Structures are given as C-alpha cells and as structure tokens.
Amino acid sequence: MKTLLASTCLMFGLIGGTSLSHAAECGSLTIASMNWQSAEVLSNLDKFILNEGYGCDAEITVGDTVPTITSMAEKGQPDIAPEAWIDLLPEVVKKGTDEGRIVKVGSPLPDGGVQGWWIPKYLADAHPDIKTIPDMLKHPELFPDPEDSSKGAIFNGPQGWGGTVVTSQLYKGFEAEKAGFSLIDTGSAAGLDGSIAKAYEGKEGWVGYYWAPTALLGKYEMVKLEAGVPEDAAEWKRCNTVEACTDPKANAWPVDTIVTLVAKPFSERVGPEVMDYLKKRSWTNATVSKLMAWMTDNQASGEDGAKHFLEENKDIWTKWVSPEAAEKIAAAL
C-alpha cells in the first residue's frame, strides 16, 4: 500500500511538474489586437486558448498593422500578431525574418484578404452565365442605376480608400462606361453597406466594391466576380493603384496574404504545443464573416465573440489543440 501510495504521489508529482513546466515555458506574452473586427476577435481567441489550454499568461496590446509589424521586425515585440496583412509591408517583414526577429507561422485566414467586385448570390444563382466582370458588363439592365434606369451602376467605396481608387481605375480599364455603366460614389462605409442592404431587401440587382472577411458578407451572401483577365502585378503597381494614372488596364485583383507573425525569441522559448496550435489555428472567410455578423448584431466585444465561437464551433477549434488543452478550454467556458 505504501508502495502504491508512493507511486501515486510520484505520478501526480510528475503530472503537476509537467503542467508547471508547460506554464513556465509559455510564461508571459503579449498578443497584438489590430483595430478591425476579425483581428480583434482572433486576438481574444488566442488569449483564451493559450491561457486556459496551455497555462500561458497572455495579455492583449492594442496595435495597428504598420506600428505592430515594424515593432516586431525591429524589437521582437509584441510576441504574437495573429492576423498580419504582410503585403502592406513586404520590405519590413522581409527584413525582420532575414534578421531573425520574426517568423511566419501558418495563416489564420488561408483564403486570404479578398477584395473585388461582388454581386448578390440570388442574382448569381439566377444568372449562372455571369461569372466574370466582362460577363457582368454585358448586362447593365440587371444592375440598374438608381438615378437613371437606362444605365447600369457599379457602386464604389468612399473617398480615401485604396479599394475606391482601384475600383475607379478598373472602371476605366474595363471600359465600363462604354458598356453602359455609371460609377456610383456611395460617400461613406455606411452608404456602401446601405446600398447592399437595400438591394438585398428588395432582391434587386447590385454590383460593386467590397472585401472579405467582413460582418456584412456574413449577413448578406455575395459572390465575387472573377476578373476574366490575367493578373498583371507590374501593371497593378504602375497604374491600377495610382489615382493619377490616366491609362489603366483591365486587371485581376490580387489576394492579400495574411499570416500569423511570432517574435523569434518567443517561438524559441515556448513549448512545441503552443507553436503547433498557432500553426494549425485557421478559419475560412465565411466562418469569420458569420461570427462578425453575430458580433455586430449583438454589439459584442472581441472577448464575447471568441467565447461564442468556442461554444458554438467545437468541431473546428478542437482540431487546433491537443486533447488535454481541449478539455481545459471546454471546462473554462
């Protein structure tokens, strides 16, 4: 009996020691929360999973793309940027990785950041021949201009957005005016969203600029039109993204690369289970868009959204973590 008791105590001691070791390996860390909804909920999701599942002491620090990635590349802080749109700062990211301060760890959004021209799914279903921008331009009657029904309309974003500049240039490049289309300035993000909501309520035709993942596309199902022309990166940089350029060509909108960035010192001191989680953790644009739609409808914070996702999508997140971590996370909800 004494032998059994001693063995049992030793066994629990080893388990406890292993648990403490994992906590010590993870330790304190900072997670960057960017100032948009998908990044906010993902940073809170990482905080909950790392703290409850892996014994970390994670805290969120508010940041934005340029200062966060620059700080990681130069100083190795914060420790994790869960949703880094690295195409915005290619040279900074390259310098940080080349000098061994940051590492890329998988992608939280393998679909990428998707921008372009979209139409409602009900319209795409009713007209399966419309798959590309040239297909759409053959049918101005399906996308009537609210001010002039004899023309079609392409809805643009507000002034100051990069996507608004590109849409204006593609409008010229695809010769949409010659095809009978007007370009509508929606004036604001709310005006753009409102135009989609109005179209959906009346099951009307609509085509225009938008992007994913977003709460709006979680609420209103839209289909992105293919460009129908090859992607030309040099032309995109030369003219499609430059407002003053006077001779834009038709082009395909590139997909933005989104990765998780981790500070190299953190990646070297934590246990392999933590890094394995960060590599596996990903969701589709459709999944996160639906979650953001729920957050918007319920005026929920990033923390609320993370807990809602964990409660409603066990089949997804349990594939990211170890069985032991899954039990701890479920118990903490």
Side-chain angles (χ1 to χ4, degrees):
M1 183 65 183
K2 286 182 180 178
T3 304
L4 177 60
L5 182 60
S7 299
T8 304
C9 290
L10 177 60
M11 178 180 70
F12 280 111
L14 289 171
I15 292 172
T18 302
S19 178
L20 289 172
S21 173
H22 284 170
E25 286 176 357
C26 186
S28 299
L29 67 122
T30 50
I31 302 173
S33 178
M34 310 299 192
N35 63 352
W36 60 88
Q37 203 175 32
S38 61
E40 180 192 358
V41 69
L42 183 59
S43 62
N44 277 275
L45 183 65
D46 283 349
K47 177 184 175 182
F48 193 94
I49 287 178
L50 291 175
N51 285 355
E52 302 299 338
Y54 295 99
C56 301
D57 181 18
E59 290 295 336
I60 287 176
T61 178
V62 177
D64 206 345
T65 301
V66 174
T68 295
I69 294 178
T70 302
S71 177
M72 291 184 75
E74 293 179 353
K75 304 173 185 176
Q77 280 292 325
D79 295 299
I80 303 172
E83 188 181 311
W85 293 54
I86 60 173
D87 291 339
L88 296 170
L89 293 168
E91 296 305 316
V92 174
V93 174
K94 184 178 186 303
K95 186 173 186 291
T97 52
D98 287 350
E99 294 179 358
R101 292 193 183 92
I102 52 176
V103 291
K104 300 173 189 176
V105 184
S107 174
L109 288 162
D111 294 343
V114 181
Q115 301 182 75
W117 292 4
W118 306 69
I119 63 175
K121 187 175 185 299
Y122 56 78
L123 196 68
D125 290 343
H127 299 276
D129 56 312
I130 300 179
K131 297 184 184 302
T132 68
I133 290 176
D135 293 339
M136 176 273 295
L137 292 174
K138 296 174 185 175
H139 298 283
E141 76 281 359
L142 296 177
F143 309 93
D145 184 329
E147 302 296 328
D148 183 355
S149 59
S150 69
K151 295 182 177 181
I154 297 168
F155 288 82
N156 206 352
Q159 297 305 309
W161 285 11
T164 300
V165 171
V166 172
T167 291
S168 298
Q169 295 294 69
L170 291 181
Y171 174 80
K172 298 171 189 173
F174 279 101
E175 299 185 329
E177 185 176 13
K178 187 183 292 186
F181 281 79
S182 302
L183 185 63
I184 305 296
D185 181 356
T186 54
S188 66
L192 179 60
D193 290 359
S195 69
I196 294 176
K198 181 178 180 296
Y200 245 84
E201 287 167 6
K203 288 293 184 284
E204 300 166 353
W206 189 96
V207 61
Y209 169 75
Y210 220 77
W211 71 100
T214 48
L216 192 89
L217 295 194
K219 187 173 185 178
Y220 301 117
E221 198 168 1
M222 306 286 284
V223 175
K224 181 178 172 291
L225 293 171
E226 297 301 321
V229 297
E231 181 181 330
D232 186 333
E235 185 63 24
W236 186 264
K237 184 177 180 180
R238 181 194 74 85
C239 194
N240 294 118
T241 56
V242 179
E243 191 170 12
C245 184
T246 58
D247 62 335
K249 307 295 190 296
N251 207 342
W253 212 304
V255 175
D256 287 303
T257 305
I258 304 171
V259 303
T260 293
L261 289 180
V262 175
K264 188 68 175 293
F266 174 77
S267 72
E268 291 175 340
R269 72 173 168 81
V270 295
E273 284 191 339
V274 169
M275 294 302 293
D276 189 54
Y277 158 69
L278 292 172
K279 289 174 185 174
K280 289 180 178 177
R281 182 263 290 118
S282 68
W283 46 17
T284 65
N285 284 353
T287 296
V288 73
S289 289
K290 287 177 183 176
L291 175 59
M292 288 191 289
W294 177 88
M295 290 171 64
T296 300
D297 289 344
N298 291 276
Q299 297 183 322
S301 66
E303 184 177 358
D304 296 331
K307 288 182 179 178
H308 177 76
F309 172 79
L310 290 168
E311 290 168 350
E312 300 295 323
N313 297 275
K314 192 173 181 180
D315 58 318
I316 297 177
W317 64 262
T318 50
K319 295 174 183 176
W320 305 340
V321 301
S322 66
E324 295 80 10
E327 289 183 13
K328 294 175 184 176
I329 293 162
L333 289 172

